[in-house]
Amino acid sequence: SMTAAELKGMNNFLIFKDEFVELYNCDSRLFASDDRIVDLVFADPPFGMNLDEYEEILMNKCSGHTFLMTNERVLIPFINKYLDKFVRLYAINTVIPNLICNKAPMQLADFVSEFRFGKTRFENTRECFSNLIEAKKIRMMKQYSQNFDKQGSLFAVFIKHFTKEGDLILDPFCGSGTSLLVARKLKRKIIGIELNEKSANHAKLMLYQREFPEL
C-alpha cells in the first residue's frame, strides 16, 4: 500500500530528467496519481507479475495503443478481460546468443498483446510490420550474469510505427533503460519507471552518458 505522501506526486522519485526522458525509481502504480495521459504504453513486466494490480496505469492512462509483453499464461486471462480493447497478438522470436553449451543460439518466444484506445494512427507505413518479429536479447550488466535485455530495435519497431516525434510514451517497467534510450534517439518523450534501484541507476548512467543504441 502507498501512503498519502507518496500519492501526492512522483517528483520525490525522479532520478533523471532531460528534454525527452523522465526516469523514476519507484513502484509504477504511483503513476495512477499523475494526471497525464500518454500516447503509447509499452510494458514488459517482470516474470510472473500479476497484471491485474497494474490495470489502472496499463488500461486507463493511454489514448493510443498499449503493448504488453509477457508469456501467454499471463496474457491470455488479461486479453479475455479486455477483449473489447484487444487488437492482435505479436510473437517475438527471441534469440539469446551463446546461452547453451554448444554455443548454438537459444530461441524462445515472447508475446506482445496490442490494445487500442481511440483512433489507430500509423506513422511509418513504408516498412513491413509483421505479427512475427525477430529480436535478439543482449547482456546488459556484467555483474548480472543472467540479466538479458531487449535489443533497441524491438522498441524502435513499435515506437516508429505507432507514434510520431514529440509523442509521450510510458514504460512502467523500464529495467536498465533500453526503451528510454531508443525513445530519446527517435525524439519521442518517454516516462520510464523502475522499482529495482540497481536497474534504475544503470538506466540513469546510460542516459547521462548519452548512449544511443543501434537501431
Side-chain angles (χ1 to χ4, degrees), residues 152-164:
S153 57
L154 175 62
F155 296 105
V157 165
F158 289 95
I159 290 173
K160 287 194 292 185
H161 195 69
F162 292 99
T163 67
K164 65 180 186 300

Side-chain angles (χ1 to χ4, degrees), residues 59-102:
M59 309 308 282
N60 297 317
K61 284 293 195 176
C62 184
S63 64
H65 292 76
T66 290
F67 298 95
L68 304 181
M69 183 172 184
T70 184
N71 65 68
E72 68 275 20
R73 292 188 301 277
V74 175
L75 276 181
I76 290 172
F78 202 76
I79 289 170
N80 285 331
K81 195 172 183 178
Y82 290 98
L83 271 177
D84 59 323
K85 303 294 185 185
F86 176 68
V87 180
R88 64 180 61 85
L89 191 66
Y90 300 89
I92 311 298
N93 187 24
T94 305
V95 180
I96 305 180
N98 302 327
L99 190 61
I100 53 181
C101 59
N102 63 4

